[in-house]
Structures are given as structure tokens and as C-alpha cells.
Amino acid sequence: LIVHEVSALKKITIRKTSLLYTSANKPNKPVTEYLVGVPNLLVIVELANKNIIGAFTQNAFTKANQFSHSTIMSKAMIFSILPQTFIVNEHRGEAIHFEENVLTWGKQEITINCNEPMTMNANLNCEEAVYNSAISTEEFMGGETKNVSIVKIEAYRNFFG
């Protein structure tokens, strides 16, 4: 299902997916060391409430990226498995941003704090939202919306063609 949605967003089929990072392996480097600079990145997070949230970006996060003119416009998407919701940015504005070990999609519609302990925040209905949605933030996240503990995180690079 996720692969289908990413392929539809890019309008091209995923040829191969490669696992870049999984917290299950207890790596000795910060998660962002595996993710920054990687295009076509898919991040999937299991929250403490058992909900699965994820995000995709065609462009890579960069360490120099800020909320400014350097912010990257990208085909990107955020999603929740329960409820089954996929929200595309459709080039409405800043799609991704990286700063101080925090991965952000949109105007902080979702943020993944990669510092230990890893947490996730969501605010889908913020002012000037990049990912417009009729769904509430609470429904998207499965309850809590601030500093929700991340149980597991995986990241994949997708190859298209």
C-alpha cells in the first residue's frame, strides 16, 4: 500500500527499496547520519500507541537546510496507517527541513526528533499548512500529538524506473 502511494506520487514505479536504517539493530551512529543526503527517502515510525506514521520525500535532507529561501521544494507525502490516510504536499510550500537532529515535513505538520529518546509531534491543521487535510491531528496520530515516544523507526531509499 505504501509503495503504491509513493509510486503514484512520483508517477513512476518503484524498482527497488533498500533499508538504510532500523532502530531494531541498535546502531552506534545517530539516525540522521544515515538519512541526511539521501533522495527518495521513506521513513516509517511505530509510536508507543502502536500507530504507524510515515513520510516520504523525493529530495534529500541537507544539514544546511533552514526555514528560509534554501528550504527544499519536493514531492513529498505524510501518512498514517490507522486511519489509512495519505496526504501529499502538492508543491504548496516548504516540504522538508532538517535542523539539529529534527526531521520536519511541512510547517511542522510532522516532526521526528531523532535525539534520544526519539519522539514525534504532529500539527496537521497549523496556519499555512503544506499538507492540507480534513483529518484531525489526533485522529492522524492515534491520540496524543506532542512528544509521542517512538518505539521503532525504519528508513528506506527508493529507486525508481
Side-chain angles (χ1 to χ4, degrees):
L1 178 63
I2 296 168
V3 170
H4 170 75
E5 292 294 330
V6 171
S7 292
L9 173 69
K10 292 276 291 182
K11 296 181 173 62
I12 191 168
T13 305
I14 293 176
R15 181 176 38 91
K16 177 182 162 187
T17 299
S18 176
L19 178 66
L20 299 172
Y21 176 90
T22 178
S23 57
N25 289 345
K26 307 286 184 210
N28 58 1
K29 294 192 296 187
V31 61
T32 53
E33 293 294 318
Y34 297 89
L35 308 184
V36 172
V38 177
N40 296 313
L41 180 67
L42 174 65
V43 178
I44 301 174
V45 173
E46 180 183 347
L47 301 175
N49 65 9
K50 303 295 183 207
N51 198 11
I52 307 291
I53 304 289
F56 169 82
T57 177
Q58 102 181 346
N59 292 347
F61 286 97
T62 63
K63 289 188 178 185
N65 192 25
Q66 304 290 324
F67 276 134
S68 69
H69 293 100
S70 65
T71 302
I72 298 169
M73 290 288 288
S74 173
K75 284 188 179 178
M77 167 178 60
I78 58 176
F79 61 87
S80 176
I81 299 301
L82 295 172
Q84 187 175 320
T85 304
F86 294 86
I87 308 166
V88 177
N89 77 320
E90 297 176 3
H91 303 290
R92 287 188 202 124
E94 299 163 339
I96 62 169
H97 154 145
F98 172 78
E99 188 173 12
E100 297 182 20
N101 279 342
V102 176
L103 303 172
T104 301
W105 273 261
K107 299 267 189 202
Q108 299 186 356
E109 278 93 324
I110 66 169
T111 59
I112 300 172
N113 177 354
C114 297
N115 295 309
E116 293 294 332
M118 289 192 289
T119 58
M120 182 172 208
N121 295 299
N123 184 10
L124 293 186
N125 303 310
C126 61
E127 193 172 318
E128 299 179 21
V130 175
Y131 299 88
N132 290 334
S133 174
I135 190 170
S136 73
T137 303
E138 292 79 11
E139 189 177 358
F140 183 83
M141 290 286 284
E144 295 179 49
T145 63
K146 302 285 183 207
N147 297 319
V148 180
S149 295
I150 293 174
V151 174
K152 184 178 180 182
I153 184 169
E154 293 183 346
Y156 301 86
R157 180 172 183 188
N158 297 287
F159 298 87
F160 295 86

